Amino acid sequence: MTLEARGLGMTFAGGVTALDGLDLRVEPGEFVAVVGPSGCGKSTLLAMFAGLLTPTSGEILVDGAPATSLLGRAAYMPQRDCLMPWRTVLDNCAVGLELAGASRRQARERARAEVGRFGLEGFEDRRPAELSGGMRQRAALLRTFLAGRDLLLLDEPFAALDALTRRDLQDWLRDVAEADRRTIVLVTHDVTEAAYLADRIYVLTERPGRVALEETVEPPRPRGPEVLASPEFAALQRRLLVTLGFA
Amino acid sequence: MRVLRGAGPPVAFAALVVAAWALLTAVTGIPESSLPTPGQVAAALWDDRAVLADNAWVTIGEILVGYAAAIAVGLSLAIVIHASRAVERAVYPWLVVSQMVPIVAIAPIFVIWTGFDLRPKVMVIALVAFFPLAVSTIDGLKAADPELLRLLRTLGAGRVTRFRIAQWPAALPSVFSGLKVAAALSVIGAVFAEWVGSGEGLGYLVLTYNNQVATADMFAVIVVLGAIGIALYGLVLLAERLVLPWYHDERRAL
Ligand SMILES: Nc1ncnc2c1ncn2[C@@H]1O[C@H](COP(=O)(O)OP(=O)(O)OP(=O)(O)O)[C@@H](O)[C@H]1O
Ligand SMILES: [Mg+2]
């Protein structure tokens, strides 16, 4: 589906304006990264795309028509992992399938088939309290992927991971995105991550957030580590950082 | 095994108290009618064993039925109050008021309504025991992570599903806190109810012995009541271990 934000604004009841006049477009199958300073409204934007918040101004269009309810159309991964401490890792990951009507057994089987790819094998029957921070995040990612939606909304999924795991999972996300051709909106603080993974990047201003810069990344994905060293890549990163205020 | 190890400290403490008690009665020479010696109480326990057992069964029956009623009332009220803001505002204050009503005043009215059978006892027990359970359950239901609830909404979960998947499991530790308090209150409630209108049961027996100034026998009844209370509490603890392994594993790791 095509997702479009037009003049999107959000002012909370307390009076904080998180977003103001934001225009953004996500084409089907596209991988869009949203970068911006802390507190500029990135999580707010994803919550609106997930159908959890109604914008106070502007509108969200789906396939060109104003969206009535977005709830249930996207797989949303909140900034915190939100794993349920009373469920095993497998049952946490399978919750989306369960809610979609699969039997507990089917849901577990499908989740079990994926734990390898997510580096969680051997931990299927553990509880989240027994996982490292990185593993918790991977479990949350698996839960998001298993929700079976075309649109994935990922709120800083790798922010809590160590550098090695992060590189690993970035490559992995690149491959999955390539294989599934799902539409992905990735919120991140990490300019390199955005440039490595995305087709297009939006840089937001300080709060209230609006689009400060839109960049299409070349060469087209999937990109390998060699791209990281290219001068074009360095130039792109510099443009992003300058827009963010790092001169 | 863990249960046995857990029993060590309280048993040791009880031994200490009994020793201090024995010393006190020996040193002061206080008369049996005021404070019997541990030996006299033990003797009374043995001599009265048939009467104690008969009446204990009566009281245990009342406690179990009353406790079950308190659980049914407490949990359903908590769930209804949690589900509806309107019900919460209309009903919650009256629940608090229900705890201000002196049981001593209301219990005889229950007896007038229903007679000397099991019913007034169940009502008294339910009245004193439902409240802490309802309050802690409501608090527990409110404590569920709002971000998790939002996530479940995006996965298509309606209110009932969110309750089942997130709010109820998150509330269970609080529910068990309430169940423990309610268990202790159920025992007290049963004794109260028997004082007001009963021809049998341990509460009735306490009154009878009290009138006869049979203090050692009265203490024996109290010992039995204590044992019943501990047994009920232990059952709740056991259920908690079985139902909430995740909770205890997490606490132990701290
Ligand atoms: N429910 C809410 N009620 C009131 N204010 C809110 C609410 N949610 C967010 N805000 C405010 O809106 C602003 C944007 O918040 P948001 O979480 O979207 O930022 P963010 O870009 O995701 O930040 P970060 O990168 O630190 O995660 C913040 O100032 C925040 O305090
Ligand atoms: Mg955020």
Side-chain angles (χ1 to χ4, degrees):
Chain A
M1 67 198 218
T2 310
L3 190 66
E4 196 180 346
R6 266 199 207 150
L8 209 59
M10 183 72 213
T11 303
F12 287 104
V16 175
T17 300
L19 294 170
D20 191 23
L22 179 130
D23 297 297
L24 180 153
R25 199 179 153 84
V26 186
E27 301 291 344
E30 202 181 16
F31 194 139
V32 168
V34 177
V35 191
S38 185
C40 76
K42 304 182 296 296
S43 295
T44 304
L45 177 67
L46 277 202
M48 288 197 285
F49 282 161
L52 292 167
L53 275 178
T54 313
T56 48
S57 62
E59 56 183 352
I60 296 173
L61 308 180
V62 173
D63 296 328
T68 40
S69 175
L70 282 161
L71 211 57
R73 302 197 60 164
Y76 168 63
M77 179 173 169
Q79 203 163 349
R80 281 194 302 116
D81 60 56
C82 287
L83 296 172
M84 295 176 262
W86 53 84
R87 282 188 172 227
T88 62
V89 170
L90 205 60
D91 286 334
N92 262 294
C93 296
V95 70
L97 296 164
E98 226 178 292
L99 290 177
S103 76
R104 188 106 181 208
R105 207 172 56 83
Q106 283 175 323
R108 279 188 185 171
E109 250 165 49
R110 283 216 38 214
R112 205 180 285 281
E114 298 284 351
V115 288
R117 273 213 299 170
F118 285 74
L120 291 166
E121 65 262 273
F123 286 85
E124 297 92 330
D125 300 317
R126 304 291 187 85
R127 295 186 198 279
E130 298 174 75
L131 301 189
S132 69
M135 295 183 104
R136 291 179 67 107
Q137 213 61 16
R138 278 181 274 173
L141 264 170
L142 175 51
R143 179 188 61 205
T144 314
F145 267 79
L146 286 174
R149 305 279 155 75
D150 292 332
L151 174 62
L152 304 186
L153 305 171
L154 310 178
D155 198 346
E156 306 197 22
F158 307 138
L161 302 181
D162 62 276
L164 287 177
T165 316
R166 184 193 299 207
R167 283 287 313 129
D168 219 34
L169 275 182
Q170 283 168 353
D171 281 347
W172 166 86
L173 180 59
R174 173 198 65 193
D175 296 342
V176 173
E178 197 53 31
D180 293 28
R181 276 285 154 188
R182 293 205 233 188
T183 311
I184 299 177
V185 180
L186 171 80
V187 163
T188 176
H189 274 126
D190 183 343
V191 168
T192 311
E193 179 173 292
Y196 185 56
L197 291 173
D199 295 315
R200 230 144 33 80
I201 302 173
Y202 286 96
V203 181
L204 304 191
T205 60
E206 298 258 354
R207 192 179 71 230
R210 55 167 67 218
V211 175
L213 179 74
E214 182 200 337
E215 283 273 359
T216 302
V217 187
E218 295 293 344
R221 68 184 166 108
R223 292 178 275 271
E226 70 285 349
V227 172
L228 291 170
S230 74
E232 294 83 3
F233 195 82
L236 169 63
Q237 283 195 68
R238 196 164 325 111
R239 284 199 299 280
L240 298 174
L241 286 171
V242 167
T243 311
L244 284 168
F246 301 95
Chain B
M1 224 18 244
R2 210 185 310 134
V3 175
L4 284 184
R5 239 182 300 135
V11 167
F13 181 69
L16 205 68
V17 170
V18 169
W21 170 16
L23 196 68
L24 185 75
T25 47
V27 170
T28 58
I30 196 167
E32 183 185 343
S33 58
S34 298
L35 182 65
T37 65
Q40 286 161 340
V41 173
L45 267 172
W46 179 253
D47 295 341
D48 299 343
R49 61 188 182 280
V51 183
L52 285 172
D54 287 349
N55 288 284
W57 284 122
V58 172
T59 303
I60 289 172
E62 291 164 5
I63 290 172
L64 289 181
V65 179
Y67 187 46
I71 293 173
V73 172
L75 288 186
S76 25
L77 272 173
I79 290 169
V80 172
I81 283 174
H82 175 73
S84 156
R85 188 87 186 93
V87 174
E88 175 170 6
R89 292 175 61 176
V91 174
Y92 208 155
W94 295 109
L95 294 191
V96 180
V97 170
S98 79
Q99 299 305 295
M100 311 291 158
V101 178
I103 296 295
V104 200
I106 200 126
I109 302 177
F110 289 163
V111 175
I112 292 169
W113 288 349
T114 56
F116 269 64
D117 59 7
L118 186 65
R119 280 171 296 174
K121 284 113 192 169
V122 171
M123 286 163 87
V124 169
I125 295 171
L127 183 63
V128 296
F130 87 92
F131 186 71
L133 177 59
V135 170
S136 50
T137 303
I138 291 167
D139 287 349
L141 289 172
K142 280 187 180 153
D145 177 6
E147 210 166 336
L148 169 62
L149 297 177
R150 300 197 320 153
L151 170 70
L152 292 175
R153 274 174 66 203
T154 69
L155 291 172
R159 274 189 92 184
V160 176
T161 312
R162 291 202 297 277
F163 181 86
R164 179 174 58 83
I165 299 227
Q167 289 171 318
W168 179 249
L172 272 177
S174 309
V175 171
F176 272 101
S177 303
L179 284 174
K180 286 180 225 168
V181 180
L185 289 179
S186 292
V187 178
I188 298 169
V191 172
F192 249 133
E194 286 174 359
W195 280 357
V196 172
S198 189
E200 53 183 349
L202 294 175
Y204 164 77
L205 208 55
V206 167
L207 268 195
T208 314
Y209 286 144
N210 195 9
N211 290 339
Q212 300 166 2
V213 202
T215 316
D217 304 277
M218 224 173 84
F219 269 69
V221 182
I222 292 169
V223 170
V224 175
L225 275 171
I228 292 171
I230 288 170
L232 188 59
Y233 195 86
L235 282 179
V236 179
L237 273 187
L238 196 69
E240 187 184 23
R241 292 279 145 145
L242 292 176
V243 175
L244 296 178
W246 60 272
Y247 189 68
H248 294 283
D249 291 349
E250 262 176 41
R251 302 298 117 162
R252 250 207 307 285
L254 288 179

